[in-house]
Amino acid sequence: MATQIDPAPVAGTRPRHVAIIMDGNGRWAKARRLPRVAGHKQGVEAVRRVTRAARDLGLEVLTLYAFSSENWRRPVEEVRDLMGLLRHFLRAEIATLVADNVRLRVIGDYRALSDDLVALIDDALARTAANTGPTLVIALNYGAQAEIAAAARRLATAARNGAIDPAAIDEASVEAELTTHDLPPLDLMIRTSGEQRLSNFLLWQAAYAELLFVDTLWPDFDAATLAEALDIFSRRQRRFGGL
Ligand code: IPE
Ligand code: IPE
Ligand code: MG
């Protein structure tokens, strides 16, 4: 389907859409003989810093992996701590997001979270929906395989109902069913803490994203680390299968 592939942008450009797998909070805490939750708290500070930096650096979309659909496998106390921090973050940050003209988006099955969190999220989404500035996407209870399976389910239902022809299903039809369908293409995926895997994050969207694995632990990530990542991106040559 060559027709739907954008021509390769020239090197030296700035990414429009950056995603970050925020990893290493636990190791940050362990290195300081602190409980893991202390690392998650510092991780929230990093989210604040990096969200601001992304805006200052002119990114259109910053997508942050905050809680995966597999993170429920963690001990209940840790899940509770993470949800508590999310609650605190939403309450504390909503005014800033509104003031900064940031549009909040959530991907993932956040409706499976506790009722009060769902209400907080819905409120934050509603209050920032009309904003026209950069978009902050938070992935909550997100799994890329589940996202793709849900897209397949909807297409299958539409085909069964006769609304679409199965033979006409192509990449664009699947893409249109993803939660990211109206966002600019993912340009750069960063993972912190030295791990080199995607852990079920944006698998479809990462097809031609540049991948960057940095050793920095998430709580240490700051504006300078982000600026450095953008600099590395600007020197990558993207070919999208062409020459
Ligand atoms: C990332 O830090 C935060 C979440 C996954 C929610 P981790 O908690 O995975 O930190 P490490 O990998 O144990 O260091
Ligand atoms: C990925 O980190 C999920 C988030 C950052 C939210 P994990 O720490 O959960 O990933 P694995 O388990 O090491 O692959
Ligand atoms: Mg981890």
Side-chain angles (χ1 to χ4, degrees):
M1 298 277 150
T3 47
Q4 48 183 325
I5 296 172
D6 295 333
V10 286
T13 53
R14 197 203 309 259
R16 297 175 66 194
H17 183 175
V18 175
I20 308 182
I21 302 176
M22 310 183 286
D23 200 10
N25 294 353
R27 279 161 283 167
W28 185 94
K30 192 172 182 197
R32 289 163 181 75
R33 299 175 195 278
L34 295 169
R36 289 179 59 84
V37 66
H40 294 314
K41 279 188 186 146
Q42 286 307 308
V44 174
E45 291 311 312
V47 168
R48 289 204 175 92
R49 277 198 304 273
V50 173
T51 306
R52 238 179 290 127
R55 194 197 51 203
D56 294 346
L57 288 163
L59 297 187
E60 285 175 50
V61 182
L62 176 69
T63 299
L64 300 176
Y65 204 8
F67 193 86
S68 77
S69 48
E70 287 72 36
N71 284 145
W72 297 108
R73 294 177 186 156
R74 295 187 178 201
V76 282
E77 308 79 53
E78 171 144 350
V79 171
R80 195 194 51 215
D81 287 342
L82 287 167
M83 295 301 156
L85 285 168
L86 174 63
R87 188 174 287 117
H88 182 74
F89 174 83
L90 288 168
R91 287 199 185 121
E93 258 352 77
I94 178 66
T96 309
L97 296 176
V98 171
D100 290 351
N101 197 22
V102 173
R103 206 157 48 110
L104 182 71
R105 286 277 298 270
V106 171
I107 58 172
D109 185 14
Y110 74 91
R111 296 201 173 274
L113 306 185
S114 66
D115 290 348
D116 75 301
L117 267 172
V118 174
L120 264 177
I121 292 166
D122 282 337
D123 177 59
L125 293 175
R127 284 169 66 188
T128 62
N131 285 353
T132 53
T135 301
L136 173 65
V137 184
I138 303 184
L140 289 174
N141 192 20
Y142 174 88
Q145 291 182 334
E147 179 186 37
I148 295 166
R153 236 174 1 252
R154 279 192 294 275
L155 291 170
T157 304
R160 189 185 54 194
N161 297 343
I164 57 169
D165 174 6
I169 295 175
D170 60 8
E171 294 94 321
S173 341
V174 176
E175 177 108 41
E177 295 296 333
L178 301 179
T179 48
T180 52
H181 68 94
D182 55 347
L183 298 174
L186 180 62
D187 295 310
L188 173 63
M189 164 95 83
I190 302 170
R191 183 171 188 144
T192 60
S193 87
E195 307 292 352
Q196 302 193 4
R197 54 178 170 268
L198 298 184
S199 300
N200 203 14
F201 194 41
L202 301 176
L203 299 183
W204 175 284
Q205 296 85 344
Y208 266 105
E210 292 297 318
L211 307 180
L212 179 61
F213 300 100
V214 298
D215 288 333
T216 311
L217 301 175
W218 176 248
D220 292 324
F221 204 95
D222 60 13
T225 335
L226 181 62
E228 200 181 318
L230 299 199
D231 189 52
I232 291 169
F233 174 88
S234 76
R235 285 182 273 116
R236 296 265 181 100
Q237 204 200 345
R238 304 177 82 186
R239 285 195 281 271
F240 298 93
L243 290 178

